[in-house]
Amino acid sequence: RRENYEKLLIHFADNGIMYAIQQAGKLKMPMIIWCHGYEILRWNAVHFNYSAQAIAQNKSALEKNDQEKSKLFKQLFQMRNMYFIFVSNWMKERVKRSVGFLPVNYSVIPNFINCDFYQGKPKAAQERMKILSIKSHATKMYANDITAQAILELSKKECFNKLEFDLYGSGLLFKENFGELKRQNFSNVHIHEVFLGPDEMKAAFAEHGILIAPTRRDTQGVTTCEAMSAGLAVISCNTSAIPEYMDEDCASLYEYDNYFQLADEIEYLYYHPDEFLRKSRNAVQRVRNQCGYEETIGRELKLINGEL
């Protein structure tokens, strides 16, 4: 209210934030608003986070909340002083379906991946046998249960004892997701109930060749892209925005919730070291081209400075 700002940068917009801006008399000033999904997408975009009972009991409240979000963004999308940034085309199109139309002003700009930080020496063929997972267990969206089922399926295959797994993460679903793996007590599956910071992630990337990155919905997959920058051959799901950031030239994509295919992809890379090395090399270049500084922060700074 007291300051005369040139522009507001909002990450993210919701009823509370926009109400405060309106009360401060700043609603008509230039704004750049980042849109990542939770603040605008319908509840059923993450339906897997709800049990059938929870949906039955709360559906009307969930739908009412969706209507309130849609009402807000229908107003914001028509305001010419607001510029929206979507992190992926999938996100943009999904938002269009939720609201009914797109904003007057918008761009699709990926999240920045620090390719200078997340880099390492080229991978050697034997590193395909060291497999990494770094995932939150906060919701079912992160699909750690698929990782566990894939490893259990792999344990029936000849190559299993040649492989070594390090699984990092924590959250409410940790015991549910990895309980059976712990009971099996495989000597080559190391389960770490910890959260890794950037330096620890960088070190883990250097020690492994494959990243298992299952998901049920993702607007980009930042950790996955960071691993690609470090030269890991990534295995993820061909859902939501994932195919915008990786394809079969630089990664391996399994079908939704198909842990048999996830296991097959690991087995395939084991028996095809040349394919592992090809995907590893291509992953580094793909992320640098798509999510490096110029294509992300560089574009955002031009927007902020009014150069676009």
Side-chain angles (χ1 to χ4, degrees), residues 1-5 20 22-26:
R1 193 175 273 156
R2 291 189 299 269
E3 301 290 338
N4 292 316
Y5 302 103
Q22 182 180 37
Q23 290 298 103
K26 307 289 187 182

Side-chain angles (χ1 to χ4, degrees), residues 174-291:
F174 186 88
K175 290 182 180 179
E176 178 182 332
N177 289 331
F178 286 168
E180 181 59 27
L181 270 184
K182 280 198 163 189
R183 282 190 289 274
Q184 292 289 338
N185 197 29
F186 296 117
S187 62
N188 59 337
V189 178
H190 314 297
I191 300 174
H192 314 273
E193 192 173 358
V194 295
F195 173 82
L196 296 186
D199 290 319
E200 294 164 315
M201 283 174 55
K202 181 178 180 179
F205 291 157
E207 295 170 0
H208 297 81
I210 294 174
L211 180 81
I212 305 175
T215 185
R216 291 188 168 95
R217 199 214 76 191
D218 222 313
T219 56
Q220 176 172 340
V222 170
T223 301
T224 307
C225 290
E226 289 167 344
M228 290 169 66
S229 177
L232 277 75
V234 165
I235 304 174
S236 192
C237 182
N238 63 352
T239 186
S240 47
I242 294 297
E244 287 184 49
Y245 290 94
M246 61 202 74
D247 56 27
E248 290 294 333
D249 282 336
C250 62
S252 304
L253 301 179
Y254 68 90
E255 294 173 3
Y256 191 89
D257 270 8
N258 192 334
Y259 61 87
F260 295 102
Q261 276 191 349
L262 175 52
D264 286 347
E265 295 291 353
I266 297 170
E267 182 184 33
Y268 180 82
L269 291 178
Y270 172 77
Y271 286 113
H272 296 84
D274 290 344
E275 187 70 356
F276 161 75
L277 293 172
R278 184 182 73 87
K279 289 178 186 284
S280 170
R281 290 191 302 268
N282 290 347
V284 175
Q285 198 57 49
R286 173 68 181 263
V287 172
R288 284 188 175 274
N289 291 343
Q290 191 171 5
C291 302

Side-chain angles (χ1 to χ4, degrees), residues 40-298:
I40 187 170
L41 293 181
R42 296 174 182 171
W43 72 268
N44 57 26
V46 288
H47 66 90
F48 39 76
N49 284 335
Y50 302 92
S51 66
Q53 183 180 2
I55 292 173
Q57 291 176 345
N58 300 296
K59 192 174 181 182
S60 60
L62 292 167
E63 290 180 346
K64 182 181 178 182
N65 187 47
D66 283 351
Q67 290 168 5
E68 291 174 355
K69 291 192 292 186
S70 179
K71 181 180 178 181
L72 170 67
F73 281 91
K74 281 180 178 177
Q75 295 170 346
L76 301 184
F77 279 10
Q78 296 179 74
M79 298 180 70
R80 295 187 177 274
N81 60 305
M82 298 187 184
Y83 198 108
F84 284 81
I85 295 176
F86 302 107
V87 75
S88 58
N89 280 300
W90 177 87
M91 179 67 196
K92 179 196 73 175
E93 292 302 315
R94 189 56 56 181
V95 165
K96 181 180 179 181
R97 295 184 190 186
S98 291
V99 178
F101 52 89
L102 287 169
V104 174
N105 305 302
Y106 69 86
S107 288
V108 175
I109 303 178
N111 287 301
F112 169 60
I113 302 300
N114 192 338
C115 297
D116 293 329
F117 181 77
Y118 291 110
Q119 65 174 321
K121 62 182 181 180
K123 294 296 181 184
Q126 64 266 26
E127 290 181 276
R128 73 193 188 283
M129 293 180 276
K130 295 204 69 177
I131 300 164
L132 177 67
S133 172
I134 303 174
K135 277 275 185 178
S136 166
H137 291 255
T139 76
K140 291 184 178 180
M141 183 173 72
Y142 299 116
N144 287 291
D145 55 313
I146 298 299
T147 292
Q149 289 173 303
I151 293 172
L152 290 168
E153 189 64 26
L154 266 174
S155 70
K156 305 169 188 175
K157 299 178 182 286
E158 278 188 30
C159 66
F160 180 69
N161 290 327
K162 303 287 182 65
L163 306 175
E164 186 174 357
F165 298 83
D166 282 297
L167 313 179
Y168 292 91
S170 60
L172 290 173
L173 299 177
F174 186 88
K175 290 182 180 179
E176 178 182 332
N177 289 331
F178 286 168
E180 181 59 27
L181 270 184
K182 280 198 163 189
R183 282 190 289 274
Q184 292 289 338
N185 197 29
F186 296 117
S187 62
N188 59 337
V189 178
H190 314 297
I191 300 174
H192 314 273
E193 192 173 358
V194 295
F195 173 82
L196 296 186
D199 290 319
E200 294 164 315
M201 283 174 55
K202 181 178 180 179
F205 291 157
E207 295 170 0
H208 297 81
I210 294 174
L211 180 81
I212 305 175
T215 185
R216 291 188 168 95
R217 199 214 76 191
D218 222 313
T219 56
Q220 176 172 340
V222 170
T223 301
T224 307
C225 290
E226 289 167 344
M228 290 169 66
S229 177
L232 277 75
V234 165
I235 304 174
S236 192
C237 182
N238 63 352
T239 186
S240 47
I242 294 297
E244 287 184 49
Y245 290 94
M246 61 202 74
D247 56 27
E248 290 294 333
D249 282 336
C250 62
S252 304
L253 301 179
Y254 68 90
E255 294 173 3
Y256 191 89
D257 270 8
N258 192 334
Y259 61 87
F260 295 102
Q261 276 191 349
L262 175 52
D264 286 347
E265 295 291 353
I266 297 170
E267 182 184 33
Y268 180 82
L269 291 178
Y270 172 77
Y271 286 113
H272 296 84
D274 290 344
E275 187 70 356
F276 161 75
L277 293 172
R278 184 182 73 87
K279 289 178 186 284
S280 170
R281 290 191 302 268
N282 290 347
V284 175
Q285 198 57 49
R286 173 68 181 263
V287 172
R288 284 188 175 274
N289 291 343
Q290 191 171 5
C291 302
Y293 182 92
E294 290 303 324
E295 290 302 314
T296 57
I297 293 174

